[in-house]
Amino acid sequence: MDDPSVALPGGADPAERTRELRRAHAAFTRDGRVEAPVRAVIARSWRRCARARVSPECVPRVDLAGAELRAYREQHPLARVLPLFRELVGAFASDGAHLLAVCDARGSLLWVEGEPATMRRAEGLGFVPGARWSETAMGTNAPGTAVAVGEPVQVFGAEHFSRRVHPWTCAAAPVRDPRTGRLLGAVDVTGGDWLAHPHSLAFVRAVACAAEARLALLDPAPLPPGGSLTALGRDEALLSGPGGREVRLGRRHSEIMALLAHHPEGLSGEELAIALYEDESVSPVTLRAEMSRLRGLLGSRAPLSRPYRTAAPLEADFTAVTRHLASGAVSAALARYPGPLLPASTAPGIVRLRRRIEEQARAAVIARADPGLLTDWVCSPWGAEDAEVWRALASVLPAAGRTAALARVRALDAELGAPSRDVPGDRRGRTTPERPASESPAPEGPTPARTTPERATPAGTTTPPPPAARSPRGRATSRQPARP
């Protein structure tokens, strides 16, 4: 039985498969229909591309260049295993006229190396260091899809979503931090049809495993004495301690540890209870019982009392994100932001902290006005219905590529019953300051008066207040402590 992860089954004719895939690609881009012989992994990727409004004629963007690219590569964890990649893949790429590429967890290419003639062809394609090759930017492609699904991927010819990439074949495998499991990026081999062979997929998978083994042997960055807490994008936090031991915490314990990580100075019993429980009448005995169970679970790593505090400094993933945002490193912040803090939690202190982090990240993305960052936000589960970020995306896209984003803005405005808002360059919208009124076409329908007050974001842009349904809010009380 053929392996569905392999692009070209044994005995298949590459030329005939190419013709079949081109017909299937045309059918999908025309009316969204998936036809044989498109594999399931490719069909799922094409559908993600369609939802992300990726154009089959997309062109890669270069996000990083020059000194900024060099600095980013030097501090990236995969720089430590680049010599290994070169050793294992370099000779293969040079002898076979193929390229070695390494990307980060967001699909941005860090290194692209190989035979000079093939490098020149790749440069014409935009397959260069610093270019964004995520699925949301360039559609289905091996490095971008590998980091999107977290699995090795082989992409043959017209399986690529972008028509510009149809002459190429590639195979890529994700690389993870062996200590934390965090996705670091992917290693990729790109070239001609020969790469559709099953051996190339097995090869990049082995190279990725070798890189993870090498990272495990290298001196790792030491964990803080109290370990690290992973609480973004998950309802139950993971507590990693010295030696790499991980403990999955229940929901209430996750909330307690997140609050204490955010307050290293400690919280009194009353302050912690207010931040933890929606019901003000909860007895202090309830909190003490919860802390007793947490001590039984964590032993010597359990929080101390009077005030409640972590036994040793605890590094939380959400703290790292806020540090990056504060320093202006928006790309680095989003690379470490897999989703909202403990999204199912209704603890008042967690709700406030979650909302603050999300609003900071959102404002930074809008202010940066980078199409890639904006696209990543609106294609995430938490940003898919964010009309203001869709509006920002539409405003920075070229006129020929903004149709889908504008349609999404109008649909969301209609769903939310919000007044229509101008997007520069939107001919279907109301008159904008960028066009004289005499040159603007008449609006298609009546424009309601603006009734929603606006608030200034840290970036200086204006956005309407978020709907109450975006995240639950804790009730303000007379005994409520300072916001976490």
Side-chain angles (χ1 to χ4, degrees), residues 53-306:
R53 275 75 172 179
V54 179
S55 168
E57 312 303 332
C58 57
V59 177
R61 301 182 301 272
V62 176
D63 291 343
L64 298 170
E68 187 178 8
L69 174 62
R70 288 193 295 273
Y72 182 63
R73 294 195 301 194
E74 287 172 1
Q75 58 84 35
H76 197 277
L78 292 182
R80 307 176 76 193
V81 290
L82 182 60
L84 176 68
F85 289 147
R86 288 171 172 158
E87 177 185 349
L88 296 178
V89 183
F92 168 80
S94 177
D95 295 345
H98 298 96
L99 301 175
L100 159 67
V102 180
C103 73
D104 68 7
R106 295 178 58 244
S108 294
L109 297 179
L110 302 178
W111 294 275
V112 180
E113 302 176 355
E115 194 269 334
T118 310
M119 287 283 290
R120 287 191 292 271
R121 288 180 57 214
E123 288 169 3
L125 182 68
F127 196 75
V128 296
R132 187 75 171 278
W133 277 74
S134 63
E135 271 196 349
T136 55
M138 281 301 293
T140 308
N141 68 90
T145 301
V147 296
V149 301
E151 297 289 342
V153 176
Q154 190 176 55
V155 182
F156 170 66
E159 290 182 330
H160 290 93
F161 195 76
S162 171
R163 291 190 179 94
R164 293 166 52 88
V165 198
H166 284 185
W168 297 78
T169 296
C170 47
V175 181
R176 299 182 181 277
D177 184 324
R179 189 166 52 88
T180 66
R182 181 169 68 92
L183 180 68
L184 301 177
V187 58
D188 166 81
V189 179
T190 289
D193 290 352
W194 181 86
L195 281 175
H197 195 284
H199 290 174
S200 67
L201 186 63
F203 175 71
V204 293
R205 185 184 285 118
V207 171
C209 289
E212 291 173 353
R214 179 68 60 87
L215 287 170
L217 291 174
L218 295 172
D219 293 334
L223 283 169
S228 63
L229 185 72
T230 304
L232 290 173
R234 56 190 308 135
D235 295 328
E236 295 183 337
L238 282 179
L239 180 64
S240 300
R245 177 175 173 262
E246 285 187 345
V247 177
R248 182 183 295 276
L249 303 174
R251 295 196 177 191
R252 185 63 78 190
H253 291 166
S254 298
E255 294 165 346
I256 291 172
M257 295 305 294
L259 289 167
L260 295 183
H262 186 59
H263 289 278
E265 74 283 2
L267 293 170
S268 69
E270 183 181 16
E271 289 172 331
L272 183 56
I274 292 171
L276 199 59
Y277 298 110
E278 295 178 276
D279 184 356
E280 298 177 22
S281 64
V282 170
S283 167
V285 175
T286 302
L287 176 60
R288 289 198 291 270
E290 204 69 69
M291 297 302 291
S292 177
R293 286 190 287 270
L294 186 56
R295 291 189 188 98
L297 177 67
L298 299 182
S300 61
R301 290 190 291 160
L304 305 176
S305 58
R306 297 184 182 180

Side-chain angles (χ1 to χ4, degrees), residues 208-461:
C209 289
E212 291 173 353
R214 179 68 60 87
L215 287 170
L217 291 174
L218 295 172
D219 293 334
L223 283 169
S228 63
L229 185 72
T230 304
L232 290 173
R234 56 190 308 135
D235 295 328
E236 295 183 337
L238 282 179
L239 180 64
S240 300
R245 177 175 173 262
E246 285 187 345
V247 177
R248 182 183 295 276
L249 303 174
R251 295 196 177 191
R252 185 63 78 190
H253 291 166
S254 298
E255 294 165 346
I256 291 172
M257 295 305 294
L259 289 167
L260 295 183
H262 186 59
H263 289 278
E265 74 283 2
L267 293 170
S268 69
E270 183 181 16
E271 289 172 331
L272 183 56
I274 292 171
L276 199 59
Y277 298 110
E278 295 178 276
D279 184 356
E280 298 177 22
S281 64
V282 170
S283 167
V285 175
T286 302
L287 176 60
R288 289 198 291 270
E290 204 69 69
M291 297 302 291
S292 177
R293 286 190 287 270
L294 186 56
R295 291 189 188 98
L297 177 67
L298 299 182
S300 61
R301 290 190 291 160
L304 305 176
S305 58
R306 297 184 182 180
Y308 288 118
R309 63 198 186 278
T310 57
L314 183 63
E315 175 71 13
D317 56 352
F318 56 85
T319 303
V321 169
T322 55
R323 277 202 306 266
H324 284 308
L325 290 172
S327 67
V330 183
S331 295
L334 289 195
R336 301 192 66 172
Y337 185 76
L341 172 68
L342 300 176
S345 172
T346 58
I350 295 295
V351 169
R352 290 192 297 271
L353 180 56
R354 178 172 65 227
R355 186 168 62 244
R356 180 186 300 180
I357 295 169
E358 183 174 351
E359 289 177 351
Q360 288 176 350
R362 180 177 181 270
V365 169
I366 293 174
R368 179 62 63 90
D370 176 85
L373 296 178
L374 291 164
T375 300
D376 283 351
W377 187 272
V378 298
C379 290
S380 67
W382 60 90
E385 298 185 358
D386 193 328
E388 198 62 28
V389 181
W390 274 107
R391 199 182 315 278
L393 175 61
S395 71
V396 299
L397 289 174
R402 66 176 57 174
T403 304
L406 289 172
R408 185 63 175 151
V409 168
R410 296 188 195 100
L412 288 171
D413 283 346
E415 290 174 12
L416 297 173
S420 59
R421 297 280 303 281
D422 291 341
V423 174
D426 179 9
R427 293 175 179 269
R428 294 184 57 186
R430 295 177 291 121
T431 302
T432 70
E434 294 188 346
R435 297 177 58 93
S438 60
E439 297 180 12
S440 289
E444 293 186 352
T447 302
R450 184 188 301 274
T451 58
T452 304
E454 294 183 341
R455 56 183 175 82
T457 67
T461 59

